[in-house]
Amino acid sequence: MSDPFSESQLHLNRRHFFGKSAKGVGVAALANMLGQDLLATGGVKIPDQFRTTAPKAKRMIYLFQSGAPSQQELFDNKPQLDKYFGQELSDHVEMNQRVTGMTAGQKSFPLAASKYQFAKHGQAGTEISELLPHIAGISDDICVIRSMYTEAINHDPAITFFQTGSQIPGRPSIGSWMSYGLGSSNKDLPDFVAMVSRGTGRPNCQPLYDRLWGSGFLPTQHAGVKFMSTGDPVLYLSNPKGFPARSRRRMLDDLAELNEKKLSEFADPEIATRIKQYELAYRMQTSVPELTDFSNEPESVLQMYGPNVRKRGTYAYNCLMARRLAERDVRFVQLFHMGWDQHFTLPKQLPGQCEDVDQPTAALIKDLKMRGLLEDTLVVWGGEFGRTAYCQGTLKRDNYGRDHHPRCFSIFAAGGGVKPGMTYGATDDYSYNITENPVHVHDLHATILHQMGIDHERLTYRFQGRQFRLTDVHGHIVKDILA
């Protein structure tokens, strides 16, 4: 005897009841949640409740330097460290910042001077290290923030905090919040793309996890799509051998029909996501090969990015890819470059790490500017925290290392309505404390969202009984750095 209950009856609960009743109230709510007009033509509808002033930036490129670049070697010149070389840090400042387990057992915390020279560059006279000559050459296009601070002192929670506004894994990444708040501006490519490269400093140091560009509790359509350094640029992009495109199209049509039936029954947002992502993947079979084909790039542009630009998986290659994605109006592009964790042999590791990023970063900003894209593209460069003024391990004039220091560090921004040729904030003579204009991670996030036209206090998503946002209950817009 057949079961008198259908599958849909067995699954009928209160959520599904409301999803199916009231002439499609559930579908309307779904459309609002996804930030799209599912009842109309499929075009993107940006929710008014998230908006603030007119956006200064349409898109963002986030150049994340994983491992924490040393501010004393790059952007925050501290000649006093040379004057007091080898003296105890505690003789000059009150050491009330916690230290990591790697240096907690040290009996001595000697001051380590940078062995690299600084010079003033551009009309504003921004001090930048000799390790970054190409970035120094665009100093009038960037805003250096020397007064960043964060809360976490170890890599994984600190990187997670920078990406999601929380040290605890599971929250949506900043790119996912951007996708959720603004929607897509290119139907043939993802809203949010992530790429990873390994530096020459410490290529095998801190791992990076896919959750860093994940959507957390947001609908999974807002997760970042990772572009790979080998094989297909995007996983499973190619059709299987012997499976023609015509058959793939027919299969997707049948699959969409089945998913649409389930969506009408259950109003589950993940079903809508599945439908959308299958279609996006199909369109990407054409758009991604065109995107990754550099044959139409002038030789002068390729040379500008440096000798590694044609090598997939390098930072230079990813920088050019970021520009090509930006000109196709991909909303959020994030490059993760590993290897900035110089604990013991900084002078041996840091020059190569800087060489990885210096020329390509400067080329990206110059390239965007030449194409008229820098004005409405926000570029941010920086890591998860800073480095200590004291040496980790044995101190020598020609060799030293630095531990983690979340209390102050440097990043820089360009384009997207940020004041160019500016230095903001200051630290003390030992790069231990901030003395002017502190900028917290939540403040940076609030400012980024503001430039994209989003009110960080109103961009919320209800999950587990409360409203969540990228900046939690914190964050102030850093208006002083905005043009």
Side-chain angles (χ1 to χ4, degrees):
M1 190 169 115
S2 62
D3 192 331
F5 296 103
S6 68
E7 181 187 355
S8 60
Q9 285 174 315
L10 285 170
H11 286 85
L12 189 61
N13 57 29
R14 186 173 62 176
R15 179 164 64 91
H16 298 141
F17 171 76
F18 282 112
K20 293 174 68 177
S21 63
K23 295 184 178 179
V25 166
V27 176
L30 172 65
N32 183 59
M33 264 198 305
L34 296 180
Q36 297 187 16
D37 187 357
L38 296 178
L39 306 179
T41 60
V44 173
K45 179 183 178 184
I46 300 173
D48 292 335
Q49 69 266 29
F50 300 150
R51 305 293 279 172
T52 177
T53 56
K56 296 294 189 294
K58 294 179 181 177
R59 63 197 78 82
M60 180 178 176
I61 299 173
Y62 194 169
L63 308 173
F64 191 80
Q65 310 304 314
S66 174
S70 172
Q71 72 275 16
Q72 299 95 333
E73 267 70 35
L74 302 181
F75 297 106
D76 199 5
N77 187 20
K78 296 301 174 190
Q80 290 289 90
L81 295 180
D82 189 54
K83 181 179 178 181
Y84 299 116
F85 180 86
Q87 294 186 20
E88 291 297 318
L89 175 60
S90 58
D91 292 341
H92 299 274
V93 298
E94 182 183 353
M95 288 183 61
N96 52 9
Q97 165 69 42
R98 65 189 176 122
V99 296
T100 72
M102 293 174 284
T103 52
Q106 283 191 189
K107 295 180 180 179
S108 177
F109 296 88
L111 291 169
S114 174
K115 64 175 291 184
Y116 303 103
Q117 299 299 310
F118 281 71
K120 293 184 177 181
H121 297 272
Q123 294 181 353
T126 304
E127 280 194 298
I128 297 177
S129 167
E130 63 179 316
L131 288 171
L132 300 173
H134 292 276
I135 291 175
I138 59 162
S139 61
D140 283 338
D141 292 314
I142 67 176
C143 172
V144 177
I145 302 173
R146 290 181 176 153
S147 53
M148 282 297 305
Y149 71 103
T150 185
E151 298 170 11
I153 198 169
N154 291 310
H155 290 290
D156 188 71
I159 296 173
T160 303
F161 190 55
F162 248 97
Q163 304 312 310
T164 69
S166 171
Q167 296 183 49
I168 302 170
R171 303 279 181 90
S173 60
I174 182 172
S176 297
W177 279 113
M178 209 84 78
S179 170
Y180 167 65
L182 295 175
S184 175
S185 46
N186 185 326
K187 292 184 177 181
D188 296 330
L189 289 167
D191 306 336
F192 173 18
V193 170
M195 291 177 275
V196 177
S197 53
R198 290 183 180 271
T200 56
R202 288 186 63 196
N204 298 312
C205 57
Q206 300 301 323
L208 295 172
Y209 303 102
D210 284 12
R211 60 174 169 76
L212 294 171
W213 47 89
S215 58
F217 46 69
L218 292 176
T220 52
Q221 73 179 73
H222 301 298
V225 173
K226 184 181 179 183
F227 277 29
M228 312 300 291
S229 58
T230 58
D232 281 345
V234 179
L235 289 176
Y236 313 117
L237 191 64
S238 300
N239 290 328
K241 271 189 174 182
F243 194 78
R246 187 173 50 194
S247 299
R248 171 59 61 94
R249 180 67 268 170
R250 193 163 59 244
M251 182 202 78
L252 289 176
D253 289 342
D254 292 343
L255 192 59
E257 190 175 340
L258 291 170
N259 280 324
E260 289 284 0
K261 289 183 74 173
K262 287 296 181 185
L263 179 61
S264 67
E265 286 184 38
F266 301 118
D268 183 349
E270 287 305 307
I271 298 175
T273 292
R274 208 172 300 133
I275 295 169
K276 179 179 178 182
Q277 297 304 76
Y278 274 129
E279 287 302 316
L280 175 60
Y282 182 77
R283 294 193 298 273
M284 284 169 63
Q285 289 186 321
T286 300
S287 63
V288 169
E290 184 274 332
L291 169 72
T292 57
D293 180 5
F294 291 178
S295 62
N296 63 342
E297 291 287 347
E299 188 61 30
S300 59
V301 170
L302 295 172
Q303 290 179 2
M304 186 168 65
Y305 282 86
N308 292 323
V309 70
R310 289 185 173 90
K311 297 178 185 176
R312 278 184 64 189
T314 64
Y315 183 82
Y317 178 95
N318 290 348
C319 278
L320 181 52
M321 280 287 292
R323 191 225 76 205
R324 292 173 67 87
L325 287 162
E327 66 185 346
R328 288 159 176 78
D329 281 326
V330 170
R331 186 73 68 188
F332 193 92
V333 181
Q334 185 152 23
L335 275 55
F336 292 85
H337 189 59
M338 303 167 66
W340 291 95
D341 196 23
Q342 280 74 49
H343 281 274
F344 295 105
T345 55
L346 183 147
K348 293 180 181 178
Q349 296 175 345
L350 192 61
Q353 192 73 18
C354 290
E355 189 175 352
D356 292 340
V357 305
D358 179 41
Q359 184 173 351
T361 298
L364 172 61
I365 292 172
K366 288 190 287 188
D367 202 359
L368 290 169
K369 188 176 181 180
M370 286 189 304
R371 294 166 190 270
L373 290 169
L374 185 60
E375 184 178 341
D376 57 8
T377 303
L378 178 61
V379 181
V380 173
W381 186 103
E384 66 267 33
F385 40 59
R387 315 300 300 196
T388 57
Y390 65 79
C391 176
Q392 178 176 351
T394 304
L395 174 62
K396 297 179 181 178
R397 275 287 179 183
D398 61 348
N399 189 45
Y400 54 92
R402 301 190 189 277
D403 200 8
H404 309 161
H405 189 65
R407 199 163 190 153
C408 59
F409 58 104
S410 301
I411 68 168
F412 73 78
V418 171
K419 286 181 183 176
M422 179 184 185
T423 300
Y424 186 75
T427 61
D428 62 19
D429 289 339
Y430 312 96
S431 197
Y432 188 83
N433 294 304
I434 293 171
T435 57
E436 292 178 17
N437 302 319
V439 179
H440 188 270
V441 174
H442 289 314
D443 300 331
L444 178 66
H445 287 165
T447 306
I448 288 170
L449 292 178
H450 175 80
Q451 293 306 96
M452 298 291 291
I454 296 176
D455 185 332
H456 75 102
E457 294 182 346
R458 294 160 66 187
L459 180 64
T460 62
Y461 190 89
R462 189 167 183 82
F463 177 68
Q464 292 185 342
R466 63 161 281 197
Q467 296 289 349
F468 283 86
R469 67 185 215 217
L470 175 63
T471 53
D472 196 37
V473 295
H474 310 282
H476 298 91
I477 298 165
V478 188
K479 294 183 180 179
D480 292 343
I481 69 169
L482 304 181

